[in-house]
Each structure stands twice: as structure tokens, then as C-alpha cells.
Amino acid sequence: MDAAEITIGVLALQGAFEEHQERLERLDGVKTVQVRTPADLASIDGIVLPGGESTAMGLIGSHDGTWDALKRFINGSGDGTSCGGDQKGKPTWGTCAGMVLLSDRCVGTSAVIEDGQALIGGLDVLVCRNYFGSQISSFELSTPCPPLEGRASSKEVGALSENRDYPGIFIRAPAILNAGPDVEVLGRVLATPCRQAAVVLRELERKIGAGEEVIKMGVVDALVRDSEGSCNEGEGKKMYIDVGADESALADDDDGIQEEKKDANVFTENSLHLPGAASCGGREVICAVRKNNIISTCFHPELTADLRWHEYFVGVVRESKLKDIHV
């Protein structure tokens, strides 16, 4: 068995799976396959859960047993029943929607799905779905680059491997609000949530303040409704709940953008205020994490020419395969 040659599966139920394949196959010794059924997991060394629509992926994957097989593949079975006979989890990378799927806790899930968003789990994080807003609020923002150690090499001359900021592309992106003690934070940004996400966060804070343990929480209705449930706008009636903040907790920057006061070690250059954002100011959120075999990013590395996150994941997969060979 040659550890230098690896096969990476890309979940191909929906989303940007072909883009991930194209970028992965630019790297030396990497072959990719599309994963649609439990049987497809048997021959791969790691898997990518791409960006796309997490609700649709969950509905499709839960129908034929793929979700249960992915849970065993990613998190380990402990009973020898996982694909390939391994009991420990295989290297996994979730981007955008994939981050949502890998989270243990998620808020802002679709309100029309019975029992809420279907999650694979494995990462001790709380994710806010669509934190940055809708499709029209898509943007590019400088984010921290992946760790240099263990990156694979590219077939292309002049591959981007230096330790400079990474161009993160955010499309209806989630954000990690907090992470458990065993989760390594690889990147943070400072950004204002969209209005709907801000309402979700306010309701989340209310629940936490009341001592509730929140695992999944759907979209909170941001419309003001009367006693009969109508949201028709009347005279002097606000159509939306105000999402504000104590002005004493806010500070204006040179552009008039309100952001929460932060400690001096926050990288304020990685900050953003989008059209349609709430008026409650920005907050620091996590955009990239790792816990053992699982990596997660809220942006879309498959939509850039910069291969550094793909290099990093390939390095993780190759290291895992090498360990398996020597067991």
C-alpha cells in the first residue's frame, strides 16, 4: 500500500462537488470519486462534504442509509462495522453546508423540515446557519490561511503555499458561534449577522439565559404578528422585530460601521458589514476549525484558484493513511 497515493471521496448528493474534485486532482498523488451511496465509502481514504444546500443533502442522505454510513465513516463505529473495517473516524472536511452537517449543534435551521436539520455531527461546535445572509449578500473576505505544516504539494508551478491571508468566498455562509475545548480554532472573522440571523441569536441568548440546552433551533419568525397571526402592516405598526443593541457596547469605526468593542488581539481587518445586516453591531465568529480527523470551513475554497486549504486536507489524509499502514 502506497501512502503517497490517496483516494478522496466527495459527497455528491448536491452542491459544488465537481469543483472540489477538480482542485483536489491538481495535487500530486490524489484521485477523487463521487460518493452517493454507503458502498462508495469503502475504497476512500477521506471525504469532503461540499458547499451547497445542507437541508437538501440531509433529506437525500437520510433516505437510503447514507447518513448513518457517513456517521460511522466520520466519527468511527466502535464496533468494527464502519466501511473498510476501521473503527476510528476517517479524515473529513466540510465546507459551508458541510460545516453545518458536521456540527453537533445548529441554530437557524429550516422551519419546514420535520424534526429540524439532519446533522452528521462530530464537531463540538454551535453553528448559526446563514449567519452572513442570503445569496445576494455573497462576498469575499480575507481569512487566516491554513496551517503550513503537512500541506501537500501541487502539480502546478508556483502553487500558492505562502503564509498569507486566504481569499474566503462566503455564499449564504454559516458561522461558528462557539467551540468546545477539544476543537482547534484555525480562523476567526469579525462580521455583523444578517437581520434574520440576529433574531435567531437573540432568541438563542434568551434560551441560554433561561437555562435551556440548545441542540437544534429553527428559524425564528422575524415578523411582528397580531393576535390572529396576521403580519399585515398597519398604521404605526412595524413589520419586523427591532434587533438592536445597547449603544454603550458599540463603537464606530472610521467608515461609520458599528462593531462591538473587542480586545486588542482581534484582527479587525478581517471585518465586514453587509447590506441587509442587522443594526446590532458585529461580533467575532469562527470561520475554520479542526478536531482530530475533522476539518471545517464556513467559506468555499473550491471556488478559488488558491489550493492551500486543499493542500492542507490532502496532507491530513496522507498522514492518516500512513498511520494506518504502520498499525
Side-chain angles (χ1 to χ4, degrees):
M1 184 184 295
D2 185 358
E5 300 294 323
I6 59 173
T7 301
I8 296 178
V10 183
L11 187 65
L13 302 180
Q14 191 271 343
F17 51 89
E18 290 181 337
E19 289 82 354
H20 269 297
Q21 287 185 274
E22 191 273 333
R23 279 139 184 84
L24 285 166
E25 290 184 354
R26 292 187 194 179
L27 304 178
D28 292 331
V30 179
K31 174 186 174 183
T32 68
V33 297
Q34 295 180 4
V35 174
R36 291 190 175 88
T37 69
D40 296 329
L41 297 170
S43 61
I44 62 176
D45 302 303
I47 191 168
V48 175
L49 310 185
E53 175 48 63
S54 59
T55 304
M57 292 181 194
L59 288 172
I60 298 168
S62 299
H63 181 68
D64 63 354
T66 299
W67 234 230
D68 289 336
L70 283 169
K71 288 179 180 179
R72 294 192 297 271
F73 182 89
I74 295 168
N75 299 316
S77 64
D79 58 7
T81 60
S82 62
C83 293
D86 295 321
Q87 297 185 25
K88 65 182 183 64
K90 292 281 192 176
T92 301
W93 177 21
T95 63
C96 195
M99 169 183 278
V100 173
L101 298 176
L102 291 171
S103 66
D104 284 345
R105 292 162 291 150
C106 181
V107 296
T109 60
S110 175
V112 300
I113 303 299
E114 185 178 358
D115 299 326
Q117 173 80 53
L119 302 176
I120 294 170
L123 274 177
D124 180 16
V125 297
L126 173 62
V127 167
C128 181
R129 190 171 176 267
N130 295 343
Y131 176 92
F132 296 94
S134 63
Q135 198 87 3
I136 61 172
S137 296
S138 302
F139 62 95
E140 182 176 319
L141 177 68
S142 292
T143 63
C145 69
L148 285 168
E149 183 180 357
R151 285 191 204 162
S153 62
S154 172
K155 295 174 183 176
E156 300 178 359
V157 177
L160 297 172
S161 58
E162 64 270 21
N163 192 23
R164 63 179 179 81
D165 280 353
Y166 187 90
I169 296 178
F170 294 71
I171 304 174
R172 292 182 61 202
I176 294 178
L177 305 178
N178 60 51
D182 295 332
V183 177
E184 179 185 3
V185 175
L186 300 179
R188 293 182 173 90
V189 295
L190 187 66
T192 305
C194 70
R195 172 175 285 274
Q196 189 173 55
V199 176
V200 169
L201 296 179
R202 190 175 71 174
E203 175 67 8
L204 173 66
E205 289 165 358
R206 184 194 68 77
K207 288 178 176 289
I208 292 174
E212 297 183 38
E213 182 180 3
V214 178
I215 303 299
K216 286 189 281 189
M217 191 177 85
V219 172
V220 178
D221 195 349
L223 292 173
V224 176
R225 299 179 183 270
D226 58 27
S227 59
E228 297 179 352
S230 173
C231 58
N232 294 322
E233 187 170 14
E235 184 177 353
K237 183 176 180 180
K238 296 177 181 178
M239 280 291 286
Y240 289 90
I241 297 171
D242 281 331
V243 182
D246 183 352
E247 292 186 359
S248 66
L250 298 173
D252 291 331
D253 65 11
D254 293 338
D255 297 321
I257 298 173
Q258 289 189 321
E259 298 175 347
E260 289 180 350
K261 292 179 179 178
K262 297 289 180 180
D263 295 334
N265 62 348
V266 172
F267 296 100
T268 54
E269 65 269 19
N270 292 343
S271 62
L272 185 77
H273 187 93
L274 297 171
S279 61
C280 58
R283 66 169 70 199
E284 186 183 67
V285 292
I286 300 168
C287 64
V289 295
R290 178 176 178 181
K291 180 184 178 182
N292 299 327
N293 62 304
I294 302 176
I295 300 166
S296 189
T297 56
C298 68
F299 44 87
H300 288 263
E302 76 278 12
L303 299 182
T304 77
D306 192 323
L307 299 178
R308 284 178 291 168
W309 275 103
H310 289 87
E311 290 173 351
Y312 178 59
F313 181 61
V314 166
V316 171
V317 176
R318 192 162 281 143
E319 180 183 13
S320 173
K321 185 173 182 179
L322 186 61
K323 288 180 179 178
D324 289 342
I325 291 173
H326 293 295
V327 170

